[in-house]
Amino acid sequence: MSEENIKSPENRPSLNFLQQIIEEDLRNGKNEKRVHTRFPPEPNGYLHIGHAKSICLNFGLAKQYGGKTNLRFDDTNPTKEDVEYVDSIKEDVRWLGFDWEDREFYASDYFEKLYEYAVKLITKGKAYVCQLSGEEMSAHRGTVTTPGKESPYRNRSVAENLDLFARMRNGEFKEGTHTLRAKIDMASPNMLMRDPVMYRILKSEHHRTGMQWCIYPTYDYAHGQSDSIEGITHSICTLEFEVHRPLYDWFIKELEIYAPQQIEFARLNLTYTVMSKRKLLQLVQENIVNGWDDPRMPTICGLRRRGFTPESIRNFAETIGVAKRDNVIDVSLLEHCLREDLNKRAQRVMAVLRPLKVVITNYPENQVEELDAVNNPEDESMGKRKVPFSKILYIEQSDFMENPPKKFFRLAPGAEARLRYAYFVRCNEVIKNEAGEVVELHCTYDPETRGGNAPDGRKVQGALHWVSEARGIKAEVRLLDRLFIKENPEEVEEGHDYKENLNPASMETITAWCEPYLQDAQAGEKFQFERMGYFCVDKDSTSTHKVFNRTATLKDSFAKAGKA
RNA sequence: UGUCUCGUGGUGUAACUGGCAACACGUCUGACUCUGAAUCAGAAGAGUCCAGGUUCGACCCCUGGCGAGACAACCA
């Protein structure tokens, strides 16, 4: 971000509310002036662009103020978690460019400590073992407008609670029969304070602790204490945890341990996509997309496969800012960040997506010549490459019009246009099939214009990309588009489903002609197909069959103007 | 009829903590151009949810409305 653009008198960038809180804390000498954050995913799914915002926030804030960031897996529910997810999460965070060094932690690392804390609360008379069933407990909880009723087990003696809790741990009881609950206030206007469950019995294997435990702490009980144990100063989370904060603070206070501060921010929403884990999972399970890393998915791995760069995503996170109000960011901003990055770095190349055959009638039959093409006009150091030119070549179907409108700078009957880096060509004849569709153009080239300029100073407006049939290669290209047709896919009428808003054309697969340079492109490599957009080599590619994903189109003010 | 949080151009985010609203994206012009891209120059677009109040002065403070979101898993 260019500081010099900021016009404030002090030339000082404005701070978001998180930075303001941190700076205030730093001024007041809170936490020995430390800043220590954490990114705490539950390993039960893949990370998405919304997590990227949180990751950038947590690591970014710590970095800005000379602090550290922990990666902590919030693995308190063994029934939903798996190592597959912890691996993917680590890969994604690393790919985004962040380093948690040796601070890879797990809530499960603290199970013993958490148990001790629980015993302490029981001893203080602040927790009790409850034998209400799920339905009963729910009934006792009351509603949002009416107070709850106390559990009949609420006033057991400390000794009895201690005994029962130990027996819960020993596996003497069945799942669902006993819970450990915090004794707070069944009449609290905050539902979360109505004696929340701290431990439940779950006889399933944990991906790290195996069968060592059969009681597991809930999020509310584990999270704050984990933060405390790790010495987290600012525990940043999304808005839906706002109502949890009093409970977070309550545990810390009753336990008399180090108190981190929970601060909530508004989660990211993007137009034309869904972000909830549940819906994303559904898209995968119902084969609406081809896995978590389908390039149409808003997951980090999906974006990566689509061709997004970590830099573009980090810059996006920076650009959108943070606040506490609900927001919906336009995907076009994400795309803008992508283009901004790739424009500077991507190798240019020519590829014809919808080929129209062109025969240069006055060009020698078997001749192939090599022409110089610039690899990246934004970066001279990237040099030049040779592009083969021959008698038969392909141009984009949309670069020819039989009856062109006034300002059509491309090819038309009798018109002259430039083939980029090659020659001026004039269209003399239009060949059609029985259906009357244009299938081939016969053109003549002007040998004097080699390289793309006319010695007589003659001008042509545009430059068309092209690929020569000789030496050109065919490749599969996946034209990716937004997954949904509605800005807000979740906005549906009664009885309807967000899946009805799926974009049927979110992926079109075509065969394109590419210049031979692309022959050796490796999976993950990114290119700009001149005039067409940014494309990335997909992992489905083989040495003989290249597959490209369209990451984003280029801006097209001609198309926008409504052309013909 | 509960509690908490939020409400600034189309979309986001700011406004030095009270001094008549800025930046980015998007949109629209024009220049340049061998990518109708990029780049460059410029324009339009909000008077800050509403109504009162305090004040010389309010997007910032107070009161009352209205609207939006979150909360009633032994999920996180």
Side-chain angles (χ1 to χ4, degrees):
Chain A
M1 299 271 79
S2 41
E3 251 82 355
E4 57 271 22
N5 286 346
I6 291 152
K7 288 173 183 164
S8 75
E10 306 88 349
N11 198 32
R12 180 167 175 271
S14 56
L15 304 175
N16 64 48
F17 81 106
L18 296 171
Q19 294 166 321
Q20 288 178 17
I21 290 171
I22 290 175
E23 294 204 0
E24 169 113 43
D25 290 345
L26 255 19
R27 262 194 306 269
N28 298 337
K30 196 175 170 187
N31 299 308
E32 302 88 41
K33 301 198 173 187
R34 278 183 314 119
V35 173
H36 204 326
T37 59
R38 105 266 92 116
F39 174 61
E42 181 188 15
N44 70 341
Y46 284 76
L47 261 26
H48 55 62
I49 183 79
H51 294 107
K53 174 179 181 179
S54 173
I55 293 167
C56 291
L57 241 27
N58 277 295
F59 281 91
L61 251 12
K63 183 178 181 192
Q64 179 179 2
Y65 295 103
K68 296 181 190 316
T69 304
N70 298 354
L71 174 61
R72 180 170 75 236
F73 290 96
D74 221 332
D75 55 350
T76 56
N77 186 351
T79 66
K80 296 190 172 180
E81 298 152 6
D82 195 280
V83 281
E84 171 197 354
Y85 299 121
V86 345
D87 292 341
S88 79
I89 288 168
K90 287 198 281 185
E91 181 185 1
D92 289 347
V93 175
R94 227 179 266 126
W95 178 77
L96 276 173
F98 298 105
D99 184 8
W100 55 91
E101 299 175 320
D102 58 347
R103 295 178 306 282
E104 176 182 329
F105 301 130
Y106 294 79
S108 55
D109 294 340
Y110 314 132
F111 280 174
E112 192 61 50
K113 186 76 183 170
L114 260 11
Y115 182 85
E116 286 170 28
Y117 282 162
V119 168
K120 179 172 180 179
L121 287 176
I122 292 171
T123 307
K124 284 183 73 173
K126 297 291 184 180
Y128 62 96
V129 172
C130 182
Q131 290 173 58
L132 250 25
S133 69
E135 304 83 75
E136 290 169 330
M137 196 183 292
S138 170
H140 276 72
R141 189 151 26 229
T143 72
V144 95
T145 48
T146 59
K149 293 193 302 266
E150 295 188 350
S151 163
Y153 306 99
R154 199 173 200 260
N155 296 310
R156 290 207 233 245
S157 70
V158 168
E160 191 182 359
N161 280 319
L162 250 17
D163 173 62
L164 255 14
F165 188 47
R167 290 167 63 193
M168 278 172 65
R169 177 180 183 167
N170 288 340
E172 291 182 30
F173 307 121
K174 289 219 270 282
E175 275 189 26
T177 60
H178 295 66
T179 57
L180 182 72
R181 295 227 259 163
K183 191 191 284 187
I184 308 179
D185 177 9
M186 288 307 291
S188 170
N190 182 343
M191 299 297 289
L192 283 144
M193 300 298 273
R194 324 248 260 225
D195 290 11
V197 171
M198 295 166 58
Y199 273 92
R200 65 310 200 180
I201 298 169
L202 254 24
K203 303 204 171 176
S204 48
E205 182 166 351
H206 186 278
H207 63 100
R208 298 197 90 231
T209 60
M211 299 301 289
Q212 192 183 334
W213 293 85
C214 63
I215 57 171
Y216 290 91
T218 56
Y219 163 86
D220 282 307
Y221 177 63
H223 203 91
Q225 280 57 261
S226 300
D227 283 342
S228 178
I229 291 167
E230 292 177 15
I232 299 303
T233 57
H234 303 269
S235 180
I236 299 163
C237 62
T238 45
L239 247 29
E240 63 268 30
F241 293 102
E242 216 152 28
V243 276
H244 295 243
R245 185 163 12 106
L247 180 54
Y248 181 106
D249 292 339
W250 186 89
F251 282 124
I252 297 284
K253 179 169 171 284
E254 294 300 336
L255 255 9
E256 300 163 62
I257 55 180
Y258 166 73
Q261 179 185 5
Q262 175 180 304
I263 310 168
E264 311 84 10
F265 68 92
R267 66 161 0 115
L268 166 69
N269 294 293
L270 264 190
T271 55
Y272 299 104
T273 193
V274 293
M275 212 75 102
S276 85
K277 246 178 207 175
R278 202 195 105 247
K279 293 197 175 75
L280 258 19
L281 178 67
Q282 196 171 31
L283 295 175
V284 172
Q285 286 180 336
E286 296 180 11
N287 292 312
I288 292 165
V289 296
N290 307 311
W292 287 98
D293 69 343
D294 185 297
R296 293 166 294 181
M297 290 282 273
T299 49
I300 306 287
C301 53
L303 292 168
R304 176 167 61 228
R305 185 170 176 190
R306 170 96 170 228
F308 277 81
T309 58
E311 291 81 358
S312 66
I313 293 174
R314 276 189 257 126
N315 190 43
F316 172 70
E318 176 74 28
T319 304
I320 60 177
V322 231
K324 296 191 74 165
R325 69 185 88 115
D326 294 324
N327 62 83
V328 184
I329 277 104
D330 198 317
V331 262
S332 65
L333 181 57
L334 215 207
E335 289 174 354
H336 167 261
C337 292
L338 187 268
R339 293 192 189 101
E340 188 180 46
D341 185 31
L342 255 25
N343 176 50
K344 292 177 303 196
R345 312 194 309 183
Q347 159 85 42
R348 267 61 167 179
V349 99
M350 292 195 286
V352 175
L353 269 25
R354 316 242 185 215
L356 171 60
K357 187 173 184 178
V358 172
V359 178
I360 310 295
T361 53
N362 60 338
Y363 195 83
E365 196 67 40
N366 291 313
Q367 181 173 315
V368 177
E369 64 182 310
E370 306 251 273
L371 299 163
D372 284 323
V374 174
N375 284 335
N376 186 348
E378 305 287 321
D379 182 359
E380 249 183 80
S381 73
M382 287 179 73
K384 294 182 176 177
R385 68 183 187 287
K386 298 290 186 187
V387 182
F389 184 88
S390 61
K391 187 181 180 77
I392 296 174
L393 34 90
Y394 295 95
I395 65 168
E396 211 68 55
Q397 285 168 20
S398 58
D399 283 340
F400 172 81
M401 276 192 113
E402 200 170 13
N403 300 299
K406 48 282 154 203
K407 283 185 168 178
F408 189 72
F409 309 148
R410 307 177 184 184
L411 218 47
E416 188 171 50
R418 168 171 35 230
L419 295 181
R420 191 151 158 87
Y421 299 127
Y423 298 97
F424 284 13
V425 293
R426 187 176 298 281
C427 175
N428 304 307
E429 200 180 340
V430 179
I431 316 289
K432 297 181 183 178
N433 62 14
E434 309 77 41
E437 297 159 344
V438 178
V439 292
E440 189 175 315
L441 263 27
H442 286 185
C443 299
T444 48
Y445 83 116
D446 177 356
E448 296 297 304
T449 56
R450 188 175 203 270
N453 288 303
D456 63 3
R458 180 162 37 110
K459 295 280 184 200
V460 290
Q461 274 280 10
L464 314 183
H465 62 282
W466 52 275
V467 170
S468 104
E469 190 179 64
R471 309 255 269 274
I473 60 168
K474 285 185 184 176
E476 177 179 336
V477 174
R478 296 173 183 165
L479 301 175
L480 281 353
D481 201 352
R482 36 193 61 149
L483 237 195
F484 292 89
I485 48 174
K486 279 185 75 175
E487 260 194 34
N488 179 4
E490 330 223 5
E491 186 186 289
V492 288
E493 283 169 33
E494 274 289 313
H496 289 262
D497 191 87
Y498 75 98
K499 281 181 283 183
E500 291 169 34
N501 291 326
L502 247 5
N503 177 7
S506 61
M507 180 163 77
E508 182 186 358
T509 300
I510 59 172
T511 299
W513 274 95
C514 304
E515 63 170 278
Y517 185 88
L518 255 15
Q519 188 71 263
D520 303 316
Q522 299 299 304
E525 270 193 80
K526 295 160 183 64
F527 298 91
Q528 183 194 99
F529 288 2
E530 293 210 40
R531 306 207 300 144
M532 293 286 106
Y534 293 100
F535 293 76
C536 160
V537 183
D538 191 77
K539 66 176 185 183
D540 286 347
S541 297
T542 66
S543 54
T544 52
H545 179 72
K546 289 281 174 280
V547 179
F548 291 92
N549 294 320
R550 181 174 68 193
T551 315
T553 59
L554 248 33
K555 277 212 239 170
D556 189 350
S557 54
F558 173 66
K560 198 174 295 173
K563 34 183 157 182

